[in-house]
Amino acid sequence: MDKLLPKTALKDWLEWASTRYHLLGPVEAEDGSRSFAAVSADRLPALDNRRQCASPKEAVLPSCETLFTFDPGDGQPRLVPPGGEFAPTLMVGMKPCDVRSLEVLDRVFLDGRFQDPYYAGRRKSLVTVAYVCESKRWSCFCSSVGDPIEWSLAADVALTDVGEAYVATANTPAGEELLGCPAFRDVSADELATRDIVWNALRERAEPFDPEKVAAGVDWEEPAWDAIAEKCIGCGVCSFLCPTCTCFDIQDETIAGGKVERYRVRDTCQFCDFTKMGHGHNPRPSRRERVRQRISHKFKYIVHQCGICGCVGCGRCVELCPVNADLRGVLSEIVSGNGCESVSA
C-alpha cells in the first residue's frame, strides 16, 4: 500500500499515532549530536539524510538492564523479575541500515532454540518507520553488504522524501493501520516515479568490495590483522556504536536490604579481559586476536551460524574511529589479498 504524507501533515500523523504508541525518533541535542529520543506533535523527529551517532539498538537491547533481583526474604528467598510491561512503541526515522540491524539482532536473540525474553518483549512491541536516504554519507557502504531498499521494505512503513511530501509504503498490517490516518492522501504516478528515482540511486554500488568474497577471504593468518592491531587503540567505540554488536557481560550487585541485583551490561570483544577466564588464561591476549575475532565474526562466523551478514554498512565505525581505521580498506585488502596497505591510510 502506498500513500502520500504532505510534510505539513507530519505533525497531525504523529498526534494521531501518539494515542496508540510511545513515539521515538531522531532528535538533535543542543550540542548538535543526534540520537533516538521521545518525539511528539510538538517535538518532531528530524527526517533528513543525516544519520544519528547512536543506533536504535538501545530501544530493544539497553546498554544496561536488570534481569532479576534476588530477595533473601525472611527465610523464604525468591527471585523478583524486573517488572513493568513493554509499551507499544513506534520508532520513526530509522535509516535502512538500522532496519536491517534489527534483523541481525533477531537472528541472534530470537532464534528457534533460544529466545531472549527481555529482547523479545521489546521487539514484539516495536513498530518501525524507515526513512529512505536520499544519498549515501561519505562513510556509508550499505549497498556493498545488501540492498538498502529491500531493508527499508522490512520496516512496517518506509518513507521516501519526494519534495514537499513523503511517499509512505506500508509493508505489514501494522503499517497499513498507520496509513489509515486521515493525514495521508492518495499518491500519484508521478510521485511514485520520483520515489523510484531515489530508490535506484541508493541501490547503486560504488564501494570496492564484495561481502561474499570477504567471507571467503577471511583467514586465520590474514596479514591485515597485524596492521589493524598496530593501529587500533582498543577503545571499543566501533563496537559500542555498532547497531549489530551483541557482546554483553552479566554482573551481580548487592543493594539495600541484602538483596542482589543481577544485571546485563554492554561489553565488547575488543577489551582485553572480555575472554579472560577465571584461572587467568586468555585465548585472545593481544589486539591481533581481538580485531581478527571482530571482523571474522561479522563477515564469516555469523553468516555460517545465522545466515546473515553481521555488518549493515552504516559507517559509524568508519566515521567515529579515533585513529581513522577504515573498515572498508581492511575488507578490500582481505579480498584482494594484498596484505595491509590501505589499513594505514
Side-chain angles (χ1 to χ4, degrees):
M1 174 194 290
D2 295 309
K3 290 281 189 177
L4 195 78
L5 178 67
K7 290 184 176 178
T8 53
L10 176 62
K11 182 176 181 179
D12 296 333
W13 180 41
L14 293 181
E15 189 168 15
W16 179 87
S18 66
T19 62
R20 297 161 171 78
Y21 298 99
H22 170 60
L23 304 181
L24 293 175
V27 174
E28 198 158 298
E30 291 184 359
D31 63 0
S33 63
R34 185 180 287 188
S35 61
F36 282 97
V39 296
S40 66
D42 297 322
R43 192 190 192 198
L44 297 178
L47 299 181
D48 55 32
N49 210 42
R50 182 181 170 190
R51 179 194 13 80
Q52 42 280 359
C53 177
S55 79
K57 184 170 63 177
E58 187 72 18
V60 289
L61 192 65
S63 53
C64 184
E65 66 174 326
T66 298
L67 302 179
F68 60 80
T69 301
F70 171 75
D71 183 352
D74 295 324
Q76 294 183 331
R78 62 194 182 103
L79 297 179
V80 183
E85 296 183 356
F86 302 113
T89 300
L90 179 66
M91 182 171 279
V92 181
M94 299 175 69
K95 296 293 187 287
C97 53
D98 288 334
V99 175
R100 179 65 167 181
S101 73
L102 291 181
E103 292 189 61
V104 177
L105 296 178
D106 287 351
R107 300 286 182 95
V108 175
F109 291 101
L110 300 178
D111 85 352
R113 296 172 298 166
F114 307 103
Q115 292 204 354
D116 184 296
Y118 308 93
Y119 177 87
R122 294 188 179 88
R123 185 69 178 91
K124 290 175 182 176
S125 301
L126 185 65
V127 175
T128 55
V129 176
Y131 178 84
V132 178
C133 309
E134 299 95 36
S135 60
K136 299 186 185 75
R137 289 173 63 85
W138 67 270
S139 57
C140 296
F141 54 102
C142 54
S143 56
S144 270
V145 290
D147 183 341
I149 299 305
E150 181 181 321
W151 297 350
S152 301
L153 299 180
D156 295 286
V157 173
L159 297 179
T160 307
D161 192 330
V162 293
E164 298 301 320
Y166 305 106
V167 171
T169 304
N171 309 300
T172 66
E176 292 180 1
E177 182 181 342
L178 284 170
L179 269 55
C181 171
F184 290 87
R185 68 172 178 79
D186 292 337
V187 62
S188 69
D190 288 343
E191 289 159 341
L192 288 175
T194 302
R195 178 200 62 180
D196 291 345
I197 292 173
V198 176
W199 284 13
N200 291 333
L202 192 62
R203 278 176 160 144
E204 290 180 0
R205 177 180 296 191
E207 294 77 17
F209 68 87
D210 184 326
E212 293 184 1
K213 292 182 178 178
V214 173
V218 168
D219 185 80
W220 195 255
E221 300 299 334
E222 168 62 46
W225 305 143
D226 290 317
I228 307 168
E230 183 178 355
K231 190 169 188 177
C232 176
I233 59 174
C235 67
V237 68
C238 52
S239 296
F240 281 93
L241 294 176
C242 175
T244 65
C245 276
T246 56
C247 293
F248 61 81
D249 191 14
I250 301 286
Q251 298 192 11
D252 294 338
E253 182 174 335
T254 302
I255 58 177
K259 299 177 183 177
V260 177
E261 188 176 77
R262 172 160 292 184
Y263 61 94
R264 170 164 61 187
V265 61
R266 198 166 293 167
D267 204 344
T268 170
C269 59
Q270 298 307 287
F271 287 168
C272 60
D273 59 354
F274 182 74
T275 52
K276 189 174 182 180
M277 302 178 186
H279 55 72
H281 174 65
N282 191 339
R284 298 179 200 144
S286 75
R287 290 199 188 107
R288 182 181 188 277
E289 288 84 16
R290 296 194 284 274
V291 297
R292 179 178 64 192
Q293 165 64 23
R294 174 175 165 76
I295 295 176
S296 298
H297 181 263
K298 288 197 172 295
F299 290 91
K300 189 169 187 175
Y301 303 158
I302 195 172
V303 175
H304 292 166
Q305 293 169 344
C306 303
I308 192 168
C309 181
C311 176
V312 297
C314 68
R316 289 182 173 93
C317 60
V318 174
E319 202 161 325
L320 298 165
C321 176
V323 295
N324 298 322
D326 192 330
L327 179 62
R328 298 169 297 184
V330 176
L331 299 175
S332 296
E333 296 298 345
I334 290 175
V335 171
S336 65
N338 287 333
C340 55
E341 293 178 3
S342 68
V343 177
S344 58

